[in-house]
Amino acid sequence: MVMPPRTIATTIGLFSNNMIRRMRVLVAVLAPSLALMAFGGADMVLCGEGAPAGRAIVLPRETSASVRYAARELASYLEQITGKRMPVVDELCSEPPCAIRLVPDERLGSDGFHLLAEPPNLKIIGSAKRGILYGVYELLETYGGVGWYAADCTVIPKAKSFVVPATLDHTERPAFAVREPAWYGVQHDADFAARLRLNGESMRPEARHGGNEFRFGGGLSNSHTLPLLVPADEFFETHPEYFAEVGGQRIRDGQLCLSNPDVLRIVTERVLDRIRRDPEATYFGVSQRDTLGYCECSECAAVDAAADSHAGSVIKFVNAVAEAVEKEFPGKIIETLAYQYSRKPPKGLHPRANVMPCLCSIECDFKEPLVRSGYPENAAFVNDLKGWGALTDRLYVWDYTTDFRQYQLPFPNIGSMQPNMRLFREAGVTTVFSEGAYNTTHSEFEELKTWLLSKLMWNPEQETDALIDRFLAGYYGPAAAQVRRYYDALTALPRDTAKNPLKSFQDIDDPVLTDEFLEQSLGFWNEAVSAAKGNADALAHVKAGVLPVVYTMLLRRGRHGVKHVWVSRHPERFGSDRLTPKLLAFFEKEYAALGSPRLSELDRHHQESMAVIRELSTAQINPIPADRVLIEETALDLSRPGVNGSLVDDPQAGNGRAIRLGNDHHLWCVVLKLWRVAYDPDVTYRLRARVRVEKGGEDGKVFGCGVYDEAAEASCGSLEPTRDQVGDGYRWYDILEWKPKDSQYIWFAPGWFAGSGPSSAHQGVFLDCLELSRSEVLNVPTGGIVIESTH
Ligand SMILES: [Zn+2]
């Protein structure tokens, strides 16, 4: 995976001056007056030079927090654009000579609006919940050129006057009732989210944004709530029959047995209790846990067989809960998941009117649109989507819009967003939840993807390319064209989605994302850096934008390229990788400047990646020729440290540290892959291990050590001594002589034994180090099992 250093080795150096800082407001210098924008036909000046005297923003009497906020937003932005403050007046108190009038009207639903010019007045008509506020944002965005591109990036053009067409008559309603991209930026700035007209629960909208109407109440969120309602800790010991039967056994970490009447009674009582304690909320989740393990008992199986889907038992159960809920709380909605094993719509069973199924696309390819991808899972999902759409008027889609395994991996899913959104709307979806990198800032193209999703959730007929250009111009300023070249090259990478889908949990070794492409990408970003010079905010965005490319290159080098152990007479053969230190220096500086964002959804994956990069930064790049090397425990991979074995202090070990393995398993848990070793090809090497054994009984072997060839699926040799063949204290053990290959690995393990405990041949083995040397330099005979300590 490592590419030879070429011209780019110097270009990365241009990324040296760190000017990253949190942005305030990026004020673009545009044309002197927005009056230059041609609308065709006569114009009406709303504010600034040429506006009629005495114009005010007029509030309706007794209005909502949202409408009052809409008036403040409008006045504030008009002033920032034109430099002129327009008063906000109450309808009751004053009647200005001409007005921008905020007119409550529920006929366009909660979110729709109507901008209507009646020269010299303008009406912004919509609901007092959100419609008027959204109408204000539309006016500012479309007619004032304001762009809200990220929580910390607002573009406000300066103009002498703010002008709209005198014939303005502009009505919009959103494609989806609930619009929720679950991405960090919009989840942590409710004002920004409202400006993007997002209203989902995780935006935490406040009263001024229309309130959190779509909040899930009672601690029953939109996913995986059944384990909260019937906890295994509370019930499994006494009532295993409440839990799923899997393979003939009731299991505590699977699903519940949904045909058990006591489970239904408990869940119903507890859901009602939670609703009583949170009666303001409308939505409550009753949904399967995030694993497989559905119940196979005869009753559940019969329901599922009749419905031709495991959604059968789910919907039957949730309908029963929802029926009881409706008696006490008409209007409350019970949400449940159609996820993994329950994704297929049930036959002969409708979700009740107060049940909202949430269909999840987790299995799909996201490179191509759901309807076009060659990946079979996509066609299956589209069938299920249409099926559910025919069963309910309340369909919720949970879509996946990032790579959760690697938040920084270049992930070209943008091209599928618009066609997927259209598909959802055609299937009758009412709620779109697009899960993204919710638990970090600065994931790959976070700002672009969030903004684009917000636009498409409002209106999926908008043309993606034009939207992207608009965003890039606003967010990257003078570097927009260079970023666009990178984006286009990334999007154009050919992918056979039938065989190699772009899934939302993939690791860095995506073969489509070639090393050559990454190298070329550095060039695009380098040009973007040059173009952004002199514009500190754009430059900061560009530097964050290059991080995914640098990160992917580094992680690949760390995982596959860089040698960790050197035992070669010709180290120069392995190349002197001068690019890696430059990439590392860039990454360390810029990553820290961005506040060290998370690299993966899960902490353990984040830690793994950080460890690879740390190790890379301490790896020897150009060591001296060597015939013999001692491989200390830090260069060996111990799987599941703390479980399979642990790194311990041991004064008897050469460096005072050793890996201790117990006698409760005999897994090959200590490994050194030979591609990590710089050795000379076609030369015979000898492997030795320095080991101490705490002897036990007669049962089995004390330890095992050897070399295995994964390509040949065969052992190259090993040593597995019995209790009587080992001495006390640390000894050198001769393992084998052979010619190493990159497809092989060295392994070390506790010895085979029949049972753990006192009869096992050992009570613990300690590995101090391995030794790898060219055979001819070893001045000791081969083949003996125990060699006296030479340490
Ligand atoms: Zn069951």
Side-chain angles (χ1 to χ4, degrees), residues 419-437:
N420 289 353
M421 230 40 107
R422 287 171 76 168
L423 174 73
F424 298 155
R425 194 199 44 191
E426 283 158 17
V429 172
T430 57
T431 295
V432 184
F433 178 88
S434 289
E435 189 178 5

Side-chain angles (χ1 to χ4, degrees), residues 14-272:
L14 284 175
F15 295 138
S16 56
N17 294 324
N18 171 30
M19 297 176 76
I20 295 269
R21 58 198 165 89
R22 293 299 283 178
M23 272 191 67
R24 301 145 321 281
V25 173
L26 181 72
V27 179
V29 181
L30 292 188
S33 169
L34 285 175
L36 294 179
M37 290 169 75
F39 298 118
D43 292 337
M44 177 169 86
V45 181
L46 280 188
C47 184
E49 207 171 277
R55 192 196 298 280
I57 299 167
V58 179
L59 279 173
R61 69 188 77 174
E62 291 179 24
T63 192
S64 66
S66 158
V67 174
R68 281 193 297 274
Y69 178 63
R72 289 201 304 276
E73 287 279 88
L74 181 57
S76 161
Y77 278 100
L78 288 178
E79 184 176 9
Q80 291 178 72
I81 294 167
T82 64
K84 296 284 189 301
R85 184 80 190 170
M86 194 182 292
V88 177
V89 301
D90 196 302
E91 194 171 59
L92 269 183
C93 309
S94 147
E95 188 56 42
C98 68
I100 300 177
R101 203 171 283 280
L102 309 186
V103 183
D105 186 331
E106 305 300 315
R107 281 176 295 181
L108 290 166
S110 297
D111 295 10
F113 56 79
H114 183 190
L115 307 180
L116 182 64
E118 292 174 340
N121 300 313
L122 177 77
K123 282 183 179 165
I124 301 177
I125 305 161
S127 85
K129 187 174 271 176
R130 289 180 294 266
I132 288 174
L133 181 62
Y134 291 169
V136 163
Y137 292 139
E138 175 66 24
L139 179 74
L140 292 167
E141 201 170 359
T142 297
Y143 303 96
V146 175
W148 294 282
Y149 297 112
D152 54 5
C153 176
T154 301
V155 172
I156 305 172
K158 296 288 183 192
K160 287 183 178 151
S161 49
F162 191 109
V163 172
V164 295
T167 54
L168 179 63
D169 184 356
H170 173 162
T171 301
E172 290 195 28
R173 295 180 76 159
F176 303 100
V178 186
R179 303 169 301 279
E180 185 167 6
W183 286 76
Y184 189 93
V186 283
Q187 290 188 326
H188 290 79
D189 189 329
D191 287 345
F192 173 54
R195 288 166 186 149
L196 296 185
R197 301 178 219 167
L198 302 173
N199 58 4
E201 171 183 30
S202 62
M203 313 295 131
R204 301 186 189 118
E206 296 179 20
R208 67 180 180 280
H209 312 115
N212 201 345
E213 182 183 357
F214 304 106
R215 177 174 70 87
F216 279 70
L220 297 175
S221 74
N222 60 358
S223 52
H224 315 312
T225 57
L226 278 169
L228 294 176
L229 293 163
V230 185
D233 285 348
E234 184 180 347
F235 291 109
F236 189 76
E237 293 303 317
T238 48
H239 290 286
E241 74 278 11
Y242 291 179
F243 296 82
E245 181 185 318
V246 177
Q249 285 208 323
R250 299 284 171 172
I251 58 168
R252 67 177 290 147
D253 54 355
Q255 306 294 340
L256 298 175
C257 177
L258 297 179
S259 58
N260 184 299
D262 287 340
V263 171
L264 177 61
R265 177 182 52 78
I266 294 166
V267 168
T268 304
E269 282 168 4
R270 291 183 175 192
V271 168
L272 282 170

